[in-house]
Amino acid sequence: MTASRIRTALGGALILSMTAVGLLPATASATTSAAVSVTGSTTTSVAASASAPTVVPTDKGAVRGAVSQGVERFVGIPYAAAPTGALRWKPPRPATRWTGVREATAFGNPCPVLPSGNGPRSETEDCLDVNVWRPAGVRAGARLPVHVFIHGGGLTNGSGAQNDESQLVRQTGVIGVSLNYRLGVFGFLGLPALTKEGGESGNYGFMDQQAALRWVQRNIAAFGGNPAAVTIDGESAGGWSVCGHLVSPGSRGLFARAVIQSGSCPSEPQDQAETTGTAFARQAGCDGTDQAAVLGCLRSASAGALLDAGRTFSAGFVEGTPTFPVDVREAVDSGRFARVPVLVGANRDEGRTFAQGYIGAGKEAYLGFVQGVAGDRADEVLAHYPWPETSDPYTAAYLVGAIMTDAGLIAGIGGCGQRSLVRTFERYTPTYSYEFDHRTGPGLTQIPGYVWGAGHAAELAYIWPSFDNGAPIAPLFNADERRLAREMTRYWGAFTKTGRPHVARQVAWPAYHGGKGVTLSLRAGGRSVLIDDARFSAEHQCSFWDSVPLTHGS
């Protein structure tokens, strides 16, 4: 099944759900588609410095941060020039050097976005910043492993401020980094005139990420980090990004390990991106046969006008370009990617986050959904996911969510799409597989009566308690969930340090090997367990979905 058919079939309910969790802007049309070690149940921490943070030199000037609870943070540091005016839709340029000491105690501006669960509207293009966290007392030369997190949000919204790395840094002693990158039409506009001008178009936000990773290579040693021991990690669109870095020639040598959380490996051809971009230009009032004039019109438009015109813009990575010479998933399937250790996983009920639009829907709406996505194989799908004799207002949402998850309908995220990706990676490189399987947590927002299960993005607050979706999540955790948060943080820290998620006195997590490989099922209250491929496959009905051509839609 084509991606366009899937988008049409899922319709407004999916769009509303994606809006609710920050994957689309709130105004989107509903009709559009230290040296510390992790040992046992306690963590040895670096002694906190009693004095104020030291000033740290970077290649563009010195920065001074702030210290809190044993962690120093240096945030809002420019890694590239503001991509404004003539720099709109061009590869990132070097940041301007500053004199004196720059205060780095407040996050920089989010890149231009419409309001969503991931944050308020922003129209500021001066946004290409990185943020660094380190254990208090660490200084240059410590050579600590580095964890770089790339935020999600459908390449449309989000910011590096959402995933404060303090917990990971405090509990495991690594250096933490997050970053902003251009989003939506600002980061991923394909246009014939842009292709002619730069040799490709549509990958500017990804180029920003590469520029940030190069900043890490040049500067992280001054903060006490080891540029040869960088782990890149990303969730959702951040996971797409990590897969992209594994494949992109321009990312080689910028990292030593990779984590993909609820991600996949999608991309689209240059001509498809240009068709999407041309439609956007018309929507923005920049139409005509003179492509140079169209581009001039767009570059002279205000950020706010471009945001409003791009409410329905679909962002993605563009293949057949210097950035991505081939289809990203094709490159992974054929082993043409950086052979670094990979930790990859998804959530047991990914689709429940996207299926909220079906809350209150009845049997007919559910049958319509199945017909839309499965066509002449709808009866087979219904045989595997039947409407029950007894239903409630959430039945349709749960069934739709299960199909979305198991079939990998959302760009191949979760379920059998996840299984396929893990099995592909492990053929070429050490691969560790997980499934976030805590199904009774607070979810992303409180919807009376609705059980989120282990929905998309539900795992984030366990490692990054700053993450929310417009409402607090981590403060709602019970004792069992707080234990899971500690265990997950230690696993991620161990992988960042060694490329293996091995933690003493926690469930041993072996690498995945072939059809009998094991996945770590992450569960609250110390109940995490290894499950084999046969069990994972049965949970998501992969024997069935592997025979249906609409699976793993990317």
Side-chain angles (χ1 to χ4, degrees), residues 367 370-371 374-386 544:
L367 296 178
V370 174
Q371 180 64 43
D376 58 8
R377 303 195 68 167
D379 287 346
E380 295 176 68
V381 175
L382 290 170
H384 286 263
Y385 300 83
F544 169 65

Side-chain angles (χ1 to χ4, degrees), residues 107-133:
F107 288 108
N109 300 304
C111 289
V113 289
L114 290 164
S116 73
N118 281 334
R121 181 182 178 110
S122 173
E123 298 183 7
T124 306
E125 293 177 82
D126 187 0
C127 62
L128 300 184
D129 299 334
V130 294
N131 313 297
V132 180
W133 293 261

Side-chain angles (χ1 to χ4, degrees), residues 74-435:
F74 304 80
V75 298
I77 307 171
Y79 68 83
T84 58
L87 297 186
R88 240 186 217 166
W89 303 302
K90 285 189 177 179
R93 303 295 175 86
T96 302
R97 182 176 297 276
W98 60 86
T99 59
V101 178
R102 183 187 182 102
E103 295 298 325
T105 58
F107 288 108
N109 300 304
C111 289
V113 289
L114 290 164
S116 73
N118 281 334
R121 181 182 178 110
S122 173
E123 298 183 7
T124 306
E125 293 177 82
D126 187 0
C127 62
L128 300 184
D129 299 334
V130 294
N131 313 297
V132 180
W133 293 261
R134 69 180 183 183
V138 167
R139 296 295 180 259
R143 295 185 63 79
L144 300 183
V146 182
H147 178 272
V148 179
F149 190 79
I150 304 171
H151 71 80
L155 304 178
T156 303
N157 56 48
S159 78
Q162 286 182 280
N163 295 86
D164 186 305
E165 294 266 75
S166 294
Q167 177 170 288
L168 185 68
V169 169
R170 184 181 304 111
Q171 292 189 15
T172 72
V174 302
I175 302 290
V177 178
S178 72
L179 58 105
N180 289 349
Y181 56 97
R182 281 174 283 182
L183 301 163
V185 298
F186 297 88
F188 300 96
L189 179 67
L191 210 62
L194 286 170
T195 303
K196 181 179 179 180
E197 178 182 86
E200 68 173 288
S201 64
N203 290 318
Y204 309 105
F206 185 83
M207 294 176 188
D208 293 342
Q209 295 177 17
Q210 292 177 319
L213 291 175
R214 289 192 293 270
W215 183 95
V216 170
Q217 289 296 307
R218 296 193 307 271
N219 292 286
I220 206 64
F223 292 88
N226 181 358
V230 173
T231 296
I232 56 172
D233 182 2
E235 185 269 347
S236 194
W240 302 345
S241 300
V242 171
C243 191
H245 289 296
L246 286 166
V247 168
S248 179
S251 299
R252 294 296 170 92
L254 298 180
F255 59 94
R257 298 178 263 280
V259 182
I260 300 176
Q261 300 181 217
S262 298
S264 57
C265 304
S267 59
E268 63 182 5
Q270 182 73 78
D271 59 355
Q272 184 175 330
E274 290 177 4
T275 298
T276 300
T278 299
F280 159 74
R282 285 196 297 270
Q283 185 68 26
C286 297
D287 197 8
T289 57
D290 185 340
Q291 288 296 310
V294 169
L295 181 53
C297 175
L298 290 171
R299 280 197 169 130
S300 65
S302 70
L306 295 176
L307 275 175
D308 292 335
R311 294 178 189 278
T312 63
F313 181 82
S314 178
F317 301 146
V318 185
E319 68 199 46
T321 62
T323 301
F324 299 111
V326 298
D327 177 289
V328 175
R329 182 56 191 262
E330 179 184 318
V332 171
D333 287 345
S334 59
R336 288 176 287 175
F337 63 90
R339 305 290 182 83
V340 301
V342 174
L343 189 154
V344 57
N347 297 354
R348 173 73 175 273
D349 306 295
E350 293 280 354
R352 287 204 185 182
T353 295
F354 304 110
Q356 296 167 50
Y358 282 89
I359 294 175
K363 182 177 181 179
E364 291 305 312
Y366 171 61
L367 296 178
F369 165 83
V370 174
Q371 180 64 43
V373 298
D376 58 8
R377 303 195 68 167
D379 287 346
E380 295 176 68
V381 175
L382 290 170
H384 286 263
Y385 300 83
W387 188 265
E389 292 184 6
T390 302
S391 62
D392 61 34
Y394 311 103
T395 299
Y398 295 153
L399 287 169
V400 168
I403 293 172
M404 288 178 174
T405 301
D406 296 350
L409 277 185
I410 311 300
I413 294 173
C416 305
Q418 168 70 19
R419 176 175 178 258
S420 173
L421 188 60
V422 169
R423 288 160 66 95
T424 298
F425 275 126
E426 73 88 19
R427 293 203 303 266
Y428 303 105
T429 197
T431 301
Y432 297 85
S433 172
Y434 77 87
E435 182 168 65

